[in-house]
Amino acid sequence: MHAPGPALRLHRRHERRSRASGRRYGYERSDTDWRAIADDPDIQVVSVVIANSLHLEVVRGLIEAGKHVLCEKPLSDTLASARKMADLAREASSVVRIGLTYRRQPGVAAIRDWIRDGTLGRVLHFSGRYWCDYGCNPMAPMSWRYKGPMGSGALADLGSHLTYLSEFLCGGITAVSGGAFATAIKERPVPLGAVVGHGLAAVSDRKETVENDDYAAFTAFFGETRGSLEVSRVAAGYPNGLDFEVFCENGAASFHQDTPSQVRLYLNDDHSGRNGYRTVNLGSDPLTWPVACRSMSPVSVSARTRVSPTRPGPSWRRSRKSRRRNPCPATHPSTKVSTTWKSSRPSPGRPRTTESR
């Protein structure tokens, strides 16, 4: 990332890696002490992406220095520290936020809209899972992710995202029950050097005990709605497997992280014998295009657009480059647009999308 003013890369303990990371990503400065960032008047916004157990100290210092702060999730490795950070954020004169962003996925946003506008209606049951495989290799080196109290492992790392999404769709959690934790890999080898992210590293023959959870599950109560949530960091074959389903009074919908602009939708009022889950590709309707790509005002009409080439097209490689330069079919120089107009907008609440069974 390149931006005006001093750009920083913080690596708390390893000066050599700090300098290397700064050179790799084009940062102007690197520091090994967060206080240097807090004391610099030219720095206004700080992203905190260090070990969870260090968040409270650093975020408190940055808030006291008047910085705007984006803290990575989870807030901390203990509930007490997380509550203190929440209090600090509420009292801060600066903007203090946490890095939970999956609600911005098109599929998640669409499902929430359908719940709220009555297309799906009230949620009866939520089922979600977040499966990852970064910890499935027993030779993955020991790091801060595997240290800390039970609940600060997969539940905090992955469950924070899943819990947040469940509340985004179903409302606030009022109670939980049936919590289960498991540590599938009891020991991990000690690395010979620093560990960056989820990457593998050279390890020693010595091993240390894993202190927190590889797997966690619980039942959530959202008022009268119930939900089951399950997370794992040892789910081989799932690099980032966030999936959920909502079962509602008017139908159901499911979301898969590997296709964030696509959802599966079921509506109860479909004709008998033809109802069932369908795949809904979001954003294919001209009325959902960015403003620059709309050739007509969407105020009173609904459009279904078919694009056909006026002559045999160029090679696949060339056409792909052309589409990348000018992705809007309505303005593409080598296409013409044939448009069929309907006399009125679709019925309220019905998703206007391209569908395939």
Side-chain angles (χ1 to χ4, degrees):
M1 177 182 295
H2 297 273
L8 293 172
R9 169 78 183 192
L10 171 63
H11 199 294
R12 186 176 176 85
R13 292 177 299 175
H14 302 282
E15 183 176 357
R16 180 177 61 83
R17 286 183 177 272
S18 177
R19 291 197 303 267
S21 296
R23 289 193 300 270
R24 178 180 180 184
Y25 295 107
Y27 286 87
E28 297 176 10
R29 280 178 48 191
S30 60
D31 289 288
T32 57
D33 193 330
W34 65 268
R35 296 172 186 83
I37 295 173
D39 293 339
D40 191 330
D42 292 331
I43 299 172
Q44 300 175 354
V45 182
V46 182
S47 177
V48 178
V49 292
I50 54 180
N52 303 332
S53 61
L54 304 176
H55 284 180
L56 176 58
E57 174 193 3
V58 174
V59 169
R60 177 191 283 130
L62 293 172
I63 290 175
E64 291 173 351
K67 309 298 184 185
H68 303 296
V69 179
L70 176 64
C71 183
E72 191 46 83
K73 39 59 58 186
L75 277 181
S76 185
D77 61 340
T78 68
L79 183 58
S81 294
R83 284 174 171 163
K84 288 180 182 178
M85 293 178 67
D87 291 339
L88 289 170
R90 280 189 287 266
E91 298 166 0
S93 59
S94 56
V95 177
V96 184
R97 296 291 185 268
I98 185 172
L100 292 166
T101 59
Y102 287 160
R103 63 184 289 179
R104 304 298 184 185
Q105 299 280 18
V108 175
I111 291 173
R112 191 196 192 213
D113 285 346
W114 296 337
I115 291 171
R116 300 182 75 178
D117 69 16
T119 302
L120 288 171
R122 182 171 64 92
V123 179
L124 308 178
H125 170 212
F126 174 90
S127 176
R129 74 182 195 194
Y130 200 166
W131 290 355
C132 290
D133 61 3
Y134 66 82
C136 70
N137 188 341
M139 294 305 294
M142 177 61 70
S143 72
W144 60 265
R145 294 182 184 276
Y146 304 107
K147 295 291 188 179
M150 194 64 74
S152 66
L155 180 62
D157 194 14
L158 306 175
S160 53
H161 282 299
L162 187 59
T163 302
Y164 177 72
L165 285 182
S166 72
E167 292 192 303
F168 182 62
L169 298 171
C170 306
I173 293 177
T174 56
V176 297
S177 69
F181 299 95
T183 304
I185 299 175
K186 307 295 185 183
E187 295 181 326
R188 293 189 178 273
V190 176
L192 294 175
V195 177
V196 179
H198 298 303
L200 296 177
V203 297
S204 67
D205 294 331
R206 186 168 62 89
K207 291 189 176 183
E208 290 183 351
T209 301
V210 174
E211 298 175 356
N212 53 28
D213 44 297
D214 290 327
Y215 168 90
F218 65 95
T219 298
F221 294 69
F222 310 89
E224 296 299 316
T225 300
R226 301 292 182 267
S228 58
L229 291 81
E230 185 180 22
V231 295
S232 173
R233 64 188 180 192
V234 291
Y238 286 88
N240 194 30
L242 172 62
D243 304 326
F244 67 79
E245 290 184 88
V246 286
F247 304 94
C248 307
E249 57 186 352
N250 297 328
S254 66
F255 171 84
H256 303 275
Q257 178 81 321
D258 53 352
T259 53
S261 295
Q262 187 180 85
V263 298
R264 295 178 70 241
L265 177 67
Y266 173 91
L267 296 175
N268 293 338
D269 60 359
D270 284 346
H271 293 291
S272 177
R274 290 191 288 125
N275 59 341
Y277 270 103
R278 72 202 61 184
T279 297
V280 180
N281 298 302
L282 301 166
S284 58
D285 191 305
L287 299 185
T288 67
W289 291 346
V291 173
C293 285
R294 294 180 188 166
S295 58
M296 289 281 188
S297 169
V299 172
S300 60
V301 293
S302 164
R304 292 180 298 174
T305 305
R306 176 174 57 84
V307 180
S308 58
T310 58
R311 59 183 182 277
S315 67
W316 176 85
R317 184 181 301 275
R318 186 176 301 169
S319 64
R320 184 178 65 170
K321 290 181 180 178
S322 179
R323 288 196 303 271
R324 186 164 58 243
R325 288 195 300 269
N326 192 351
C328 175
T331 58
H332 199 291
S334 64
T335 61
K336 65 180 181 180
V337 179
S338 172
T339 306
T340 302
W341 298 99
K342 294 191 293 184
S343 60
S344 62
R345 298 176 68 87
S347 58
R350 298 285 296 190
R352 183 173 50 245
T353 52
T354 298
E355 301 177 359
S356 60
R357 292 283 184 178

